[in-house]
Amino acid sequence: MSNASLLILPGDGIGPEVMTEVRKIIDWYGAKRDLQFDVSEDLVGGAAYDKHGTPLHDDTMAKAQEVDAVLLGAVGGPKYDNLDFSVKPERGLLRLRKEMDLFANLRPAQCFDALADFSSLKKDIVAGLDIMIVRELTSGIYFGEPRGIFEEGNERVGINTQRYTESEIDRVARSAFELARRRGNKVCSMEKANVMESGILWREVVQKVHDEDYPDVELSHMYADAGAMQLCRYPKQFDVIVTDNLFGDILSDAAAMLTGSLGMLPSASLGAPMANGRPKALYEPVHGSAPDIAGQGKANPIACILSFAMALRYSFDQGDEAARLEAAIETVLADGARTADLMGPEGGTPMSTTDMGDAIIAALDASL
Ligand code: NAD
């Protein structure tokens, strides 16, 4: 693997705890699979504010623009709640996403068999589930103008505008088709072309990108409301779902919860390809800094470890090694390894963050 650079930003709360376990996995790949990463580490969020008075130093931002992938733990915490909005920890993360122009947000919903009982759906509907929602992240109704609350006659009106250009739809569609080729080779595009002009354009552009450059990928279209129903009825019919910012926000949260705990959910945000062909990329667990359990060794490191697995697959073209890591996690869960967040009503003694990391390393060793 040529020149694989990785910037690690552990952040706040449980961020550094879960990232310690990821560092062990990265070292394992260096020692046992000869996958060498050029790893640097820096501050983000409250930790950066404490040192520099800003949640993301310009030098860190510059580094993030240069590396092949950024891996972030979590930011925030009660200590920073009263800071001015402009220096709140979350601003560091938002700056990374904005300046790296990360327009495709990838949220997998993957259900490990051993945790299928955690889902609110029946076990046979979710066991083995592995879908990927690609949400457009930098445009659409959260950004469109005009927006605001205006006086109109003798009452107020709240306005937001759904706006998509062809190029914005084109690039996120390409991300989805590229991903599909590395997975099950199927994309379902979701919009509301029946009632929204932006949806009509969305459907046309996705179809055009498909027909011109990805005819080998199976493409279907679905109205987003019907898609929500299908996600609950029979989620395993999907491989990659591509959708806009608003629908993606809702559908990805719903799909993620099909699979159980927040401590298990990774994510990635991808931008345009760099000169070396790799996309700009930020990988992070979906969870926050969990101040209620920070510093107690209780955090589940799997969401962050799975985020690194996504980096292996989508930034470093190491799909087989990503699958090895996911299989190691499947094995330890099947063997009954559980951090506190994964304990069922039957109880038992939860394992620590470190013990979970060690168990995954042992399973990786056993995979050789
Ligand atoms: P949270 O995700 O931090 O925690 C929600 C609940 O889930 C808590 O009970 C927590 O203990 C539990 N949890 C989360 N991750 C876990 C893990 N890996 N293992 C075990 N349990 C886990 O959300 P919150 O409490 O709403 O927010 C706490 C702080 O995190 C806030 O400052 C918030 O702004 C910030 N936050 C940051 C991000 C991010 O960095 N991307 C995302 C969400 C929230």
Side-chain angles (χ1 to χ4, degrees):
M1 190 175 55
S2 64
N3 218 0
S5 55
L6 196 55
L7 172 62
I8 290 192
L9 303 173
D12 308 319
I14 61 168
E17 297 170 46
V18 295
M19 201 59 87
T20 300
E21 303 313 307
V22 176
R23 289 298 291 255
K24 287 195 221 162
I25 306 272
I26 293 172
D27 291 346
W28 185 88
Y29 274 101
K32 303 284 175 68
R33 303 299 301 156
D34 201 25
L35 287 185
Q36 308 297 339
F37 295 91
D38 176 8
V39 182
S40 51
E41 190 166 319
D42 213 328
L43 303 172
V44 69
Y49 176 81
D50 287 341
K51 179 146 187 227
H52 302 299
T54 167
L56 189 73
H57 195 277
D58 289 346
D59 292 348
T60 316
M61 186 65 242
K63 245 188 261 175
Q65 296 282 22
E66 279 163 21
V67 291
D68 293 316
V70 179
L71 188 59
L72 185 140
V75 296
K79 182 180 164 192
Y80 308 103
D81 280 351
N82 296 322
L83 286 181
D84 185 71
F85 185 69
S86 63
V87 287
K88 275 196 184 288
E90 293 75 12
R91 302 297 299 173
L93 181 51
L94 294 176
R95 183 176 173 199
L96 279 167
R97 287 182 185 152
K98 182 160 188 286
E99 293 193 20
M100 293 169 75
D101 198 13
L102 303 172
F103 56 81
N105 183 224
L106 278 51
R107 292 271 303 267
Q110 193 175 7
C111 187
F112 292 94
D113 284 353
L115 299 182
D117 285 332
F118 272 73
S119 175
S120 47
L121 297 189
K122 290 194 193 97
K123 190 171 178 170
D124 60 317
I125 293 181
V126 292
L129 178 72
D130 180 9
I131 62 184
M132 176 74 77
I133 300 205
V134 180
R135 166 190 171 193
E136 199 290 326
L137 198 60
T138 53
S139 186
I141 200 161
Y142 294 156
F143 297 93
E145 296 284 347
R147 62 182 298 165
I149 300 175
F150 304 96
E151 298 289 335
E152 201 177 88
N154 57 1
E155 63 174 352
R156 294 180 303 157
V157 53
I159 297 179
N160 291 91
T161 302
Q162 167 86 328
R163 182 180 190 277
Y164 270 107
T165 63
E166 288 182 297
S167 53
E168 287 167 343
I169 303 167
D170 181 291
R171 63 185 188 172
V172 74
R174 281 178 199 283
S175 296
F177 288 125
E178 290 289 337
L179 285 171
R181 278 183 176 162
R182 294 164 188 223
R183 298 171 41 93
N185 216 34
K186 270 199 322 191
V187 170
C188 180
S189 171
M190 294 189 187
E191 27 56 17
K192 293 271 293 175
N194 48 344
V195 286
M196 296 170 76
E197 284 74 10
S198 57
I200 295 173
L201 186 69
W202 182 281
R203 189 176 282 221
E204 279 176 20
V205 174
V206 172
Q207 187 68 50
K208 181 163 174 274
V209 171
H210 170 268
D211 296 349
E212 286 177 4
D213 291 327
Y214 299 92
D216 52 301
V217 180
E218 187 184 322
L219 171 65
S220 60
H221 302 275
M222 205 178 267
Y223 299 137
D225 49 344
M229 281 198 279
Q230 291 300 330
L231 268 175
C232 299
R233 193 183 71 86
Y234 179 45
K236 283 188 241 178
Q237 71 187 280
F238 298 112
D239 175 26
V240 174
I241 293 172
V242 62
T243 188
D244 74 13
N245 204 340
L246 173 63
F247 296 140
D249 195 1
I250 298 164
L251 293 172
S252 64
D253 267 19
M257 276 301 112
L258 299 177
T259 70
S261 166
L262 199 49
M264 295 291 300
L265 297 173
S267 79
S269 301
L270 305 183
M274 299 182 284
N276 62 11
R278 291 175 176 147
K280 288 228 161 146
L282 170 72
Y283 298 89
E284 56 180 323
V286 169
H287 63 72
S289 59
D292 54 334
I293 57 166
Q296 300 170 38
K298 288 183 181 168
N300 183 353
I302 293 179
C304 202
I305 293 172
L306 285 172
S307 301
F308 174 64
M310 289 183 82
L312 283 174
R313 181 172 285 121
Y314 299 120
S315 280
F316 301 116
D317 247 330
Q318 298 290 331
D320 289 349
E321 296 300 340
R324 178 194 298 280
L325 182 49
E326 288 158 355
I329 291 169
E330 177 90 66
T331 302
V332 300
L333 293 172
D335 288 349
R338 299 281 186 274
T339 42
D341 57 307
L342 301 179
M343 301 298 295
E346 65 281 3
T349 311
M351 71 201 302
S352 69
T353 311
T354 311
D355 288 346
M356 180 59 94
D358 290 344
I360 294 169
I361 295 275
L364 282 171
D365 277 334
S367 77
L368 295 175

